[in-house]
Amino acid sequence: ILDDPDLKDIDPTVLKHCHAAAATCILEAGKQKADISAISACLEDCKLDKERIEQFCTEYQRTELITVVSFSIGRSPLHITDVSWRLEYQIKSNQLHKTYQPSYLVTLNVESSDSGSHPDVSFSCTMEQLQDLVGKLKDAAKSLERATQM
Amino acid sequence: KLNVGVDTVQHGVEGLTYLLSESSKLMISETDFQDSIHVLGFSDELNKLLLQLYLDNRKEIRSILGELTPKLPSYHNLEWRLDVQLASRSLRQQIKPAVTIKLHLNQHEDQTAQVLQTDPSTLLHLIQQLEQALGEMKTNHCRRIVRNMK
């Protein structure tokens, strides 16, 4: 904006203030999910003339991006994005021979809302434990389904 | 009380320990065990006692030895909770479903609990992937290997 030839006659500080004000206005309107009439009413209170209000509202309606971005901002516990698994069959170790046991190695790929990377969560489990885990996840999914039907 | 020197007792205990732990580790059969101790030239009665001692304690010794193998954190339990986010500092009037999960893991006798979160579609994806993992043991490939290993 500072490089725009049409605006070079205006004091840059004033320009910055205007830009910040407009941005804040748009963000607040998006945050509150205000509709056009609410926005117009608010701008009228600020003593903006009708033509300017109409221009602002048309521009505002074009950008749906704000809601999408605001939707994803915010803290949350580590978010699981994917899972990898590995099935292995143990034959022996240096402490114990002839073990003959299947075991699963499961890694949950995890994403953090703060951009600091967080190591993925890995753990091993037997077949029974994995069945228990899947059973519990299925319970969660079932009650999700029931909740959406309410 | 045994009327022998401390050293003899200590050697005796060490010898017994070594005999039992090695035999259990290798999971040797009764005949092999008997053949092995026969070399030591003890009386038949003593050999029978040793064999009985081996058979009685083999399982427990093996489970203790099993704890010594290198291990990753292992699955213990999973708790879940269904949440719906209604608003946040950056956006009001939301309906954002999420599943919050508390994963309990064991490592080296410490229990850790980690709180994670996921959305409904990822949850279904996780269930599908892990069910595939469970199904793997039943495939012909895995069955053939298990049979041939034994």
Side-chain angles (χ1 to χ4, degrees), chain A residues 31 78 80 104 124 132 138, chain B residues 73 75 77 92 117 131 133:
Chain A
K31 193 198 286 194
L78 303 165
I80 304 176
Y104 286 95
S124 68
D132 178 69
K138 278 168 124 169
Chain B
Y75 172 76
N77 196 12
R92 313 280 191 267
Q117 203 178 58
E131 278 186 323

Side-chain angles (χ1 to χ4, degrees), chain A residues 110-137:
Chain A
V110 161
E111 207 176 64
S112 171
S113 55
D114 324 317
S115 56
S117 63
H118 197 274
D120 292 335
V121 179
S122 291
F123 58 90
S124 68
C125 57
T126 63
M127 194 152 175
E128 292 77 28
Q129 287 170 331
L130 188 59
Q131 278 168 341
D132 178 69
L133 172 64
V134 174
K136 295 203 165 104
L137 290 178

Side-chain angles (χ1 to χ4, degrees), chain A residues 16-54:
Chain A
K16 268 195 187 158
H17 280 179
C18 291
H19 184 246
T24 318
C25 191
I26 295 173
L27 268 173
E28 269 306 308
K31 193 198 286 194
Q32 305 286 349
K33 289 212 175 161
D35 57 9
I36 292 299
S37 49
I39 300 176
S40 318
C42 183
L43 292 175
E44 267 175 30
D45 286 342
C46 298
K47 304 203 174 51
L48 242 61
D49 58 57
K50 250 206 174 140
E51 196 188 303
R52 293 223 171 97
I53 294 178
E54 260 184 52

Side-chain angles (χ1 to χ4, degrees), chain A residues 31 33 71 78-80 82-83 85 93-94 97-98 104-105 121 123-124 129 132 136 138 143, chain B residues 25-26 62 69 72-75 77-78 80 89-90 92-93 96 117 119 125 129 131 133 136:
Chain A
K31 193 198 286 194
K33 289 212 175 161
F71 194 65
L78 303 165
H79 192 92
I80 304 176
D82 200 357
V83 66
W85 55 267
S93 73
N94 69 331
H97 291 204
K98 300 192 190 166
Y104 286 95
L105 176 57
V121 179
F123 58 90
S124 68
Q129 287 170 331
D132 178 69
K136 295 203 165 104
K138 278 168 124 169
S143 70
Chain B
K25 164 171 145 183
L26 299 167
R62 279 180 73 79
T69 51
L72 282 154
S74 72
Y75 172 76
N77 196 12
L78 180 114
W80 58 265
R89 182 178 165 180
S90 41
R92 313 280 191 267
Q93 297 181 37
K96 191 172 168 190
Q117 203 178 58
D119 49 80
H125 172 70
Q129 286 294 311
E131 278 186 323
E136 271 306 304

Side-chain angles (χ1 to χ4, degrees), chain B residues 47-59:
Chain B
N47 287 347
K48 271 204 207 117
L49 271 174
L50 284 173
L51 179 63
Q52 204 48 51
L53 196 62
Y54 167 58
L55 291 173
D56 289 340
N57 292 301
R58 173 163 65 176
K59 208 169 172 195

